[in-house]
Amino acid sequence: MSLESSFESSLAASQALHLPRAGRQAPPPEAAASAPGLSRGALAGLLRFAGLLALLAVVAFFAVRVPSFLTPGNIGLILSQSAVLGILGLGLTLVLITGGSDVIRGGIDLSLAGTLGLAAAVFATLNQAGYGDAACVAATLATGLAVGALNALSVTWLRILPLLATLAVMNICAGLELVLTENTTVPAAAPLIDALNLAGPFDLPVIGLVLVAAWLVLAVTLRFTPVGLRAYAVGGHPEAARAAGIALNRYVAGSYIVAGLLGGVAGILSVAFLNAATSGSADMLLPVIATAFLGRMFSRRLVPSVTGTLLAAVFLGALANGFQLLHVSSYWVNGIEGALILAVVGVTSGLAQRGARP
Amino acid sequence: MSLDILDSRRTAAPDLLRFGVPLALALVLVVFSLLAPGFLTLSNIVGVLVNNVALAAIVSIAMTLTVASGGTDLSVGTAVDLGSLAFVSTIIAGQPVWIAALIGVLAGVGTGLFNALLIAGLSITPFLATLGTLFIGHSLQQLTTDGGNPVYVPTGSIPPALAFIGHGSVLGVPLALWLVAVLAIGAWLLLAKSRFGREVLAVGTEPQVALYSGLPVRAVLAFIYIASAAIASIAGILISANVNAYVPYSGNAYLLNSIGAAFIGTSLSRTRRANIPGTLLGVLLLGFVSNGLLLIGWNFYWQQVGSGLLIFLALLLAFTGRRDTA
């Protein structure tokens, strides 16, 4: 397995070898990280610290420079601005967990941004056609599920390389979206959209709360159920997982299907956030990938984790929001994001190498 | 565990399956020439080669190098754009076209150098390093063009050399196709016929083994990413010469198709390595599919769906029956 991975991810893979034997009631992977030895554990703690430190530094910087940054209203705004990106990132994270995070041969879902666009188009088109909320939501989620199922089928049954299969599916989704919207903005208005834009408990907008809820469900499932442990085993050490009697394909397929469903949810949220289905959802692809991979830097062992992805999405959202409040030209935002990603990745991969070589 | 690796990596695909992509291409050609009368004419084929294939082929050649070394270059589009930006700016500054072209390629080399620094120097995964470069390149273009406004070469003062690069032909063959041929042969010689190419493939397939065998892994990677960006910037120069302008972010349009072409091409190799002939077949397949769908009168929206589906079918042909994808 480690030979198969690319230069750097082989390091992550070699760490993944310390995954407890699947099937046994072992502690979840995150908790088991300290098992191989104290020094590794201490270093691992430092790694997690590096990602969080960057996040805290950014938050502190903005909080000092802009007094309104840490107000509940603005935090809610950051959450709802991060919601679509975060939900898609969570989906990709699941695929990375069961597929292994080798970009080329492991799991990846390039179709998520396409799913978002198609789902949003389905929702807005049906809404314009006069269907009620329940029908719109059902059709949108079904669209997401169908895309996810197509990905799952291609990857597990037809054995097409995930990178390529989801690339083709992305094209299909983008095409179908154009067929539905004819490349125009389709407005949408519905009671559901109003409800999603309202402030819920803690003064947080409901859109942001949906992100938090999705994270909570996935985090609890992955951490406290056998399903979570097995999912990590399938991606981290497939041979051991197979030997332990885990149906690999079922987990891999499941991750693509749930990712597709989350794509459908993201579609609804994006229509709610923008009050319309707009073109240009394909631009979300690279930020989604950045979020899921940046999320690895928040996990102690540099594995994909839903909590890390949530933090990464909020991190990127806070950056964009903070710069906006500082009146920094939006032209800078992408570059600074890129530089920060590189800085965080550079520091953590440097530390990881030192840790991985005994 | 290592036994499994050897199994999955070395198992030669049954010979029949290696012909999946050529077969798909042949099928596409036959079906469209039956459906669309104008498809199999010389002018249409040259049109497809010049308009749909040439630029994509150059970017895909660049991508193939990085895929062969076990990575990907998500910033090929950035190199295209920065090459184009530097080229057009230099021409507008009144410099001769050949100096502008040189500076355009140098901009590509600069982009590649930045990637090389991150990947070979700081040991950042190529995927993430080039993703960072892509983001930074996006900002750079926004800042230099005030948010993405195209930069035009004034219509009155278009140098003849620029028009020649954009629309000229040598011996009746468009210049762009000559460039594709030269780059393809050069990259093919480098990858398939040289000692360096074997080192690249070694780094790409078994990085640890390559490292322990004493190969200069970092130097190989650095060279590959610089070469990739330099080649991509040539596509940028061609685009600018074609439209007499620099259009921000236009290079990114080639990113996903170049990844697709390079990986579709791997199905041609017994060991599933990236290779130049396979990549070119992949580019041809994508180009002819979109042209064919256009000719049989599908509107632009359905063309997207159709080409997605056809690529999917091509992948099916290339991958079905293989057991080594997991």
Side-chain angles (χ1 to χ4, degrees), chain B residues 260-279:
Chain B
F263 278 94
I264 288 174
T266 60
S267 71
L268 213 67
S269 145
R270 262 190 321 121
T271 44
R272 303 230 352 242
R273 286 167 174 155
N275 61 93
I276 299 291
T279 299

Side-chain angles (χ1 to χ4, degrees), chain B residues 93-183:
Chain B
Q95 298 295 323
V97 172
W98 69 271
I99 290 189
L102 194 70
I103 289 184
V105 174
L106 278 180
V109 170
T111 315
L113 209 60
F114 187 65
N115 283 332
L117 204 75
L118 297 170
I119 295 162
L122 296 177
S123 300
I124 298 178
T125 320
F127 194 79
L128 286 177
T130 54
L131 186 65
T133 307
L134 172 64
F135 276 60
I136 294 172
H138 195 86
S139 248
L140 211 61
Q141 294 180 63
Q142 282 186 315
L143 289 166
T144 47
T145 61
D146 200 18
N149 295 310
V151 180
Y152 296 99
V153 179
T155 22
S157 58
I158 293 172
L162 184 66
F164 176 72
I165 295 181
H167 309 283
S169 44
V170 179
L171 301 176
V173 176
L175 186 72
L177 295 184
W178 282 110
L179 269 174
V180 172
V182 169
L183 289 171

Side-chain angles (χ1 to χ4, degrees), chain B residues 48-111:
Chain B
V48 174
L49 290 181
V50 172
N51 299 323
N52 297 16
V53 168
L55 294 169
I58 295 177
V59 178
S60 303
I61 289 169
M63 181 64 75
T64 308
L65 293 180
T66 58
V67 172
S69 75
T72 30
D73 185 353
L74 295 183
S75 65
V76 276
T78 309
V80 169
D81 290 331
L82 294 184
S84 163
L85 172 62
F87 179 67
V88 169
S89 311
T90 317
I91 286 182
I92 291 176
Q95 298 295 323
V97 172
W98 69 271
I99 290 189
L102 194 70
I103 289 184
V105 174
L106 278 180
V109 170
T111 315

Side-chain angles (χ1 to χ4, degrees), chain A residues 1 8 103 159 286 331 334-335, chain B residues 5 123 127 134 138-139 325:
Chain A
M1 182 61 210
E8 250 60 58
V103 176
R159 300 227 150 275
L286 292 166
Y331 305 160
N334 263 310
Chain B
I5 305 307
S123 300
F127 194 79
L134 172 64
H138 195 86
S139 248
T325 32

Side-chain angles (χ1 to χ4, degrees), chain A residues 1 3-4 8 10 103-105 154 159 163-164 170 175-176 178 182 286 289 293 331-332 334-335, chain B residues 1 5 9 123-124 127-128 134-135 138-139 142 146-147 206 208 256 263 301 304-305 312 322 325:
Chain A
M1 182 61 210
L3 292 178
E4 196 165 348
E8 250 60 58
S10 65
V103 176
I104 309 296
R105 293 169 195 98
S154 332
R159 300 227 150 275
L163 188 80
L164 289 177
M170 180 202 77
L176 288 175
L178 284 173
E182 297 185 320
L286 292 166
I289 295 174
F293 277 85
Y331 305 160
W332 282 101
N334 263 310
Chain B
M1 191 191 73
I5 305 307
R9 184 155 297 287
S123 300
I124 298 178
F127 194 79
L128 286 177
L134 172 64
F135 276 60
H138 195 86
S139 248
Q142 282 186 315
D146 200 18
E206 309 281 10
Q208 300 289 358
L256 290 170
F263 278 94
Y301 313 137
Q304 285 245 359
V305 183
F312 197 86
R322 293 205 167 162
T325 32

